[in-house]
Amino acid sequence: MARCVGLWALLLALHVQAGDGQVVQMDSVKSGFVGSQVELRCVFVNSNPPVKVSQVTWQKLLNGTKQNVAIVNPVLGVSVLSPFRERVSFKQATVRHQMSSLEDTTIVFSNLQLSDEAAYICEYTTFPAGNRENMVNLTVYAQPQTRMSLTSTTIVAKTPRRKMTVATCMAANGKPPSVIKWETRIKGDATYQETRNQNGTVTVRSNYQVTPSRETHKQKLTCIVTYRGERITESVVLNVQYEPEVKIEGFDGNWYLNRQTVQLTCRADANPPVTIYQWKLLNGSLPSNVEIKNNTLFFKGPVTYDLAGTYVCDATNAIGTRTGVVDVNITDFPSPDRGNFQRTRSDFPTNPPNNHGIQQEQHSAGVVIGGAVGGVALLGVAAVLLFIFLRRRQRTFKGDYNTKKHAFGNGYSKAGGLPAHPSKPKNLPYPDDSDDEKKPTQIGSTGGFEPSDRNFDTESEDLKRPYFTVDEGESREYDERTLGFQYDPEPEIADDMISQTDGSVISKKEWYV
C-alpha cells in the first residue's frame, strides 16, 4: 500500500508541475492520535490571468480504491459524504457559506479513528486549464492503555519452593507496538507476548515470575512501557506470606554459677505475625524457677546447673510452624572473653575460692616455663659460639701441607717438622719405667744421631715430639719397644688422620689441641 501511495503522489507531483502555473499545495504527511483532531491542508495557487475553479473534490485513496469524502461547488454548495459527515468539515468560513472564494479548501478531521488512516487527494477542477490535484498521507496512532497488576493480593511462599507469576504488565491496543521492560532487585524471569488486533493495534503483555520467599517480601517491582520515545512506569510492592524464621537470643555463652538476671527470647520474622509461642526443654521439663511471658523465658534467682540443656521454641502463624534451638551450658566461673555485661557482687559465688593461691600457682607455672625457655635459648647461643670457634681454628691452621707421610709414636704430631732427614738408626730406645708413654731418652752419639750432622738447639721444641719422615718407597723394621710402624707403599690412614689433596695426612688430635 505504501508503494502505491508513493507512486501516486509522484504522478500527482509531475501532473502539478506540468500545469500552466496552477499549483495545489498540500503537506506530504500528517499524523494524529485516535480521538484527536487533525487538519489536512489544501491551497490552490492560481495563475495570472487566473483560471476559473468550478469544483473541489476530496477523495480517500485506500488500497488503490478512491472514495469521495467531501465536494464543494460554487453553485451547488458543500457536500460531505457518509461516513465522514459527522467528523469532517471545511476549515474556511467562505467555503462553508458557499462563497465564491475556493483557494483554501482545507478540511478538518474530528475524533480521528484508526480507519481514517489513508492517503487523501485534493483535486481542483478548473476551466479552461482542467484538473489539478495533490495528495497527503495520514497516519493514525493509538496510545496504548498500560496496566500493571499483581496476580494475587497475597502471595504465599510454599514448600517446596516453585516459581510463580507474581505480576503482569500490559500495554493494550497500541499502534505502533510498545516495548515492556522490568526494573527490580528481585531475581526472576519475564515472559512476553504480542497480540495483533483486527483494527491494526497491538497488545503487548509481560508476566514476571519469581520464587516467593521471605527475601521477596516488600520488594518493589516496576514495569516500564516505552511508546514512541515516551516512558510510562508503574510499580507494585509484593506482599509475600511465609512461615516464621525463628532464632533464640539471650545466651551469650557465659552463663556461670550464681549469675543473676538471665533470660531467653524467641525472635520470629513472619508474615503474618506469629500468634503462638511454645517453649520446651529437650529431653526434660523446664526448670521450676522459669517464668514465661509472651516469647521470653525469665529465669528467677541465680544461675544453677539445673538451667543447662537444649531449649526449643516453636513459633506458629497462619502459614506454618518453625522451630528455634539453643544449647545452654553452665560454667563454674565467668569467662572474660565472652559476653558484654555488668557484673555485680551478687554475680559471683558466695564463698569464692582462694584467689591468692591460684595466683601463686600461676606465678610458679610462669617461672618454670620462663626457665625452660631461657635454658633452650642459652644452649642455642653456646652451640652457635662453639661452631664459630671451630670454624675459625680450622681456617687459621699453619701446617706444611707439602710434608710427606708421617710416622707417629703416640699419635700427637704436627705438620712441618724437620726439613731434612736425620741419619737412619735401627731403633729408638725408650726407658722401661717411663711414665710418659713412649717418651724418647736423650739421644747420644751411639744412638745413630751425630751432633755434627744437625744443630738441634734451635729446634728443641720440635725434638720433644718424636716423629720422623719416611719416604714413599722406604720400609724399615722396628722392634716392639720402638716405633713399630711398618710402612707399605699404600699405608692405611688412622681414624684420627685427615688426608690432604697433595697426598699428605694430618692428625685431628694435633689440629684441635
Side-chain angles (χ1 to χ4, degrees):
M1 173 183 173
R3 288 185 178 181
C4 294
V5 172
L7 181 61
W8 187 268
L10 178 62
L11 294 175
L12 285 178
L14 294 175
H15 177 69
V16 170
Q17 292 177 1
D20 298 329
Q22 298 86 19
V23 178
V24 178
Q25 296 180 345
M26 300 182 69
D27 299 318
S28 59
V29 293
K30 292 289 287 186
S31 63
F33 285 92
V34 172
S36 64
Q37 178 178 292
V38 65
E39 294 181 0
L40 302 183
R41 185 174 69 92
C42 183
V43 177
F44 181 74
V45 180
N46 207 337
S47 61
N48 190 13
V51 295
K52 182 179 180 181
V53 178
S54 59
Q55 184 171 297
V56 178
T57 304
W58 275 92
Q59 294 177 316
K60 178 181 180 181
L61 177 63
L62 183 63
N63 297 328
T65 302
K66 292 183 178 180
Q67 179 184 8
N68 290 336
V69 177
I71 302 172
V72 57
N73 187 284
V75 178
L76 300 178
V78 176
S79 174
V80 179
L81 285 75
S82 179
F84 306 98
R85 185 170 300 159
E86 302 297 330
R87 300 185 298 109
V88 175
S89 62
F90 286 93
K91 180 179 179 181
Q92 298 299 327
T94 55
V95 176
R96 293 196 303 268
H97 295 87
Q98 300 180 10
M99 293 184 175
S100 58
S101 178
L102 298 178
E103 285 79 9
D104 188 351
T105 56
T106 300
I107 61 176
V108 178
F109 269 89
S110 299
N111 191 19
L112 201 60
Q113 298 179 2
L114 289 171
S115 58
D116 296 333
E117 181 174 299
Y120 291 86
I121 301 172
C122 180
E123 181 182 29
Y124 274 77
T125 302
T126 65
F127 183 84
N131 295 342
R132 300 288 185 267
E133 61 185 28
N134 206 342
M135 184 174 63
V136 59
N137 288 315
L138 175 62
T139 302
V140 180
Y141 297 114
Q143 183 80 23
Q145 299 175 356
T146 60
R147 182 176 70 255
M148 181 182 181
S149 61
L150 292 169
T151 55
S152 175
T153 56
T154 302
I155 304 170
V156 179
K158 298 180 179 179
T159 302
R161 294 185 175 183
R162 295 178 180 177
K163 281 188 176 181
M164 61 177 295
T165 300
V166 295
T168 299
C169 186
M170 181 181 297
N173 303 322
K175 184 176 175 297
S178 303
V179 176
I180 297 178
K181 292 183 178 180
W182 294 91
E183 188 176 84
T184 182
R185 295 182 179 180
I186 308 172
K187 184 179 180 180
D189 299 320
T191 61
Y192 300 92
Q193 181 183 3
E194 284 191 2
T195 302
R196 296 191 174 272
N197 304 315
Q198 292 182 353
N199 59 1
T201 61
V202 179
T203 298
V204 182
R205 180 190 181 99
S206 178
N207 296 326
Y208 199 80
Q209 297 178 338
V210 300
T211 302
S213 64
R214 182 172 64 95
E215 290 74 17
T216 59
H217 179 54
K218 293 185 178 180
Q219 291 295 320
K220 187 178 181 180
L221 189 59
T222 301
C223 171
I224 303 174
V225 177
T226 303
Y227 176 77
R228 298 186 72 242
E230 179 184 2
R231 284 168 55 97
I232 306 168
T233 62
E234 192 171 352
S235 301
V236 295
V237 176
L238 299 184
N239 180 19
V240 180
Q241 293 187 350
Y242 52 91
E243 294 177 336
E245 190 78 14
V246 184
K247 64 179 179 179
I248 299 177
E249 298 177 351
F251 180 67
D252 55 6
N254 194 25
W255 284 22
Y256 53 89
L257 291 177
N258 293 329
R259 179 179 172 180
Q260 300 288 339
T261 314
V262 293
Q263 63 185 39
L264 295 177
T265 301
C266 186
R267 304 289 185 188
D269 179 12
N271 183 37
V274 173
T275 56
I276 300 175
Y277 289 97
Q278 289 183 338
W279 285 94
K280 60 184 177 181
L281 184 64
L282 198 63
N283 298 327
S285 57
L286 293 174
S288 58
N289 63 335
V290 69
E291 180 181 357
I292 303 177
K293 290 184 178 180
N294 297 326
N295 61 331
T296 303
L297 289 181
F298 295 94
F299 297 92
K300 297 180 179 180
V303 172
T304 63
Y305 287 118
D306 295 337
L307 273 60
T310 301
Y311 289 84
V312 179
C313 173
D314 294 331
T316 303
N317 68 350
I319 307 303
T321 300
R322 298 289 293 274
T323 299
V325 179
V326 64
D327 291 324
V328 174
N329 59 293
I330 308 300
T331 60
D332 294 333
F333 307 104
S335 174
D337 298 333
R338 295 183 179 178
N340 296 322
F341 54 87
Q342 297 294 331
R343 298 187 215 165
T344 63
R345 190 176 186 86
S346 60
D347 287 336
F348 296 94
T350 306
N351 296 319
N354 188 353
N355 293 332
H356 180 68
I358 295 175
Q359 292 178 356
Q360 287 183 348
E361 292 178 0
Q362 294 176 350
H363 177 71
S364 300
V367 170
V368 171
I369 295 174
V373 173
V376 173
L378 289 176
L379 288 176
V381 172
V384 172
L385 292 176
L386 179 60
F387 176 80
I388 295 173
F389 175 76
L390 296 178
R391 292 289 294 177
R392 294 188 63 181
R393 283 294 302 270
Q394 181 180 0
R395 293 179 181 177
T396 56
F397 175 72
K398 303 299 182 178
D400 184 5
Y401 289 94
N402 294 322
T403 306
K404 297 179 180 181
K405 296 179 181 179
H406 300 88
F408 298 88
N410 58 358
Y412 295 90
S413 65
K414 186 174 183 180
L418 294 175
H421 298 301
S423 59
K424 304 175 183 177
K426 291 288 184 175
N427 54 42
L428 295 175
Y430 291 86
D432 292 336
D433 299 331
S434 175
D435 294 332
D436 298 329
E437 181 182 353
K438 296 184 181 181
K439 183 175 182 182
T441 60
Q442 184 175 359
I443 302 174
S445 60
T446 61
F449 287 91
E450 294 296 331
S452 60
D453 294 340
R454 182 71 182 262
N455 185 11
F456 295 95
D457 294 338
T458 60
E459 298 176 1
S460 58
E461 291 297 324
D462 292 335
L463 289 175
K464 294 179 181 180
R465 303 179 184 271
Y467 71 91
F468 56 89
T469 304
V470 180
D471 289 337
E472 289 289 342
E474 294 187 28
S475 175
R476 296 186 181 183
E477 296 181 0
Y478 303 94
D479 56 15
E480 296 178 356
R481 304 287 298 174
T482 61
L483 295 173
F485 290 98
Q486 179 115 12
Y487 287 90
D488 295 327
E490 293 296 332
E492 294 181 359
I493 300 175
D495 294 335
D496 62 341
M497 305 297 289
I498 299 176
S499 176
Q500 304 298 309
T501 58
D502 58 354
S504 63
V505 292
I506 59 175
S507 171
K508 296 185 201 176
K509 295 181 181 179
E510 179 64 15
W511 187 296
Y512 295 110
V513 171

